[in-house]
Amino acid sequence: MAARTTGSSRAELIADTALALLAERGMRGLTHRAVDELAGLPQGSTSNHARTRQALLEAAVRRQAEREARVLTPDEMPVGTGGRGTPVDALALALHRYLTGHPELLVSRYELALEATRRPELRAYYDETGRRFREPLVAMMTAAGSTAPERHALSLVAWCEGLMFSCAAGSYHDAVPSLEALRLGFTELLRGMLGTPDGPPAT
């Protein structure tokens, strides 16, 4: 697995290479020297940018969030009525794009999440970056008429996380759902929460 190089600043190259190493070799394979070697940088370049392992992990978490934002694009989440499509369409498109086009990001995400359980200082940093994804979901559920938007957003996240793990590292790794199958799954899930896929229970 090669690190991304085109159009990258050195900081982005280092962080992208760290993510590539996490996906390819796991947490033990992530070292300053390994980043320099895989990125084709002079020895010591990564240490100059991120002097400690904590700093390197924080750079990886930050870059992970940036790249996931491009894939999941929270701005596509519908707000209010009309405009940018239904919650089902937005959620299915984002998840399908992630599962089919960026499996390596899922693996690096799990490596970072597990490491955050062992490093309290990384846990706080990891959680802070995750808020940018939770907040649009809460807003979406509120706009859709949810009576418990925080709880329903958590259920959506848990459903998506379970599906992503199953398809990236679990027993469904060779059976990624189609876009239509994901639309059906989100329709069923939101109907259970809201009564209809895109709004409050009918009266």
Side-chain angles (χ1 to χ4, degrees):
M1 181 183 297
R4 187 177 65 83
T5 58
T6 302
S8 294
S9 68
R10 177 162 292 196
E12 289 174 338
L13 175 59
I14 288 171
D16 283 335
T17 304
L19 294 179
L21 283 166
L22 287 171
E24 182 180 340
R25 306 178 192 176
M27 191 58 65
R28 289 186 177 181
L30 177 62
T31 66
H32 288 74
R33 179 180 292 274
V35 172
D36 286 340
E37 291 175 353
L38 185 60
L41 294 171
Q43 286 296 319
S45 297
T46 300
S47 293
N48 287 336
H49 173 71
R51 293 192 177 279
T52 65
R53 184 167 181 81
Q54 174 67 20
L56 182 58
L57 288 169
E58 288 180 1
V61 169
R62 183 167 58 251
R63 188 62 174 161
Q64 176 85 23
E66 290 171 354
R67 290 178 59 182
E68 285 188 339
R70 294 176 185 173
V71 178
L72 298 172
T73 52
D75 286 345
E76 288 180 358
M77 296 301 179
V79 178
T81 58
R84 291 175 287 182
T86 69
V88 165
D89 291 331
L91 291 164
L93 175 63
L95 191 54
H96 186 261
R97 186 164 50 211
Y98 203 165
L99 290 171
T100 58
H102 305 274
E104 76 288 346
L105 274 182
L106 283 170
V107 179
S108 59
R109 168 200 267 224
Y110 298 136
E111 290 286 347
L112 290 167
L114 287 172
E115 187 67 7
T117 66
R118 308 178 190 106
R119 290 175 174 259
E121 65 278 16
L122 186 64
R123 175 84 271 165
Y125 195 84
Y126 185 95
D127 290 349
E128 180 62 30
T129 62
R131 289 191 179 92
R132 74 173 67 180
F133 300 104
R134 293 199 306 271
E135 290 170 359
L137 286 176
V138 173
M140 183 191 75
M141 296 309 296
T142 300
S146 168
T147 58
E150 291 278 355
R151 178 167 56 81
H152 286 160
L154 173 59
S155 294
L156 277 175
V157 169
W159 191 84
C160 291
E161 290 279 9
L163 190 65
M164 287 190 294
F165 182 85
S166 294
C167 292
S171 58
Y172 283 83
H173 66 93
D174 60 349
V176 175
S178 66
L179 179 59
E180 186 54 37
L182 290 172
R183 289 189 80 261
L184 179 58
F186 279 116
T187 297
E188 293 167 341
L189 187 63
L190 291 176
R191 182 176 290 125
M193 295 177 183
L194 305 172
T196 67
D198 307 311
T203 57

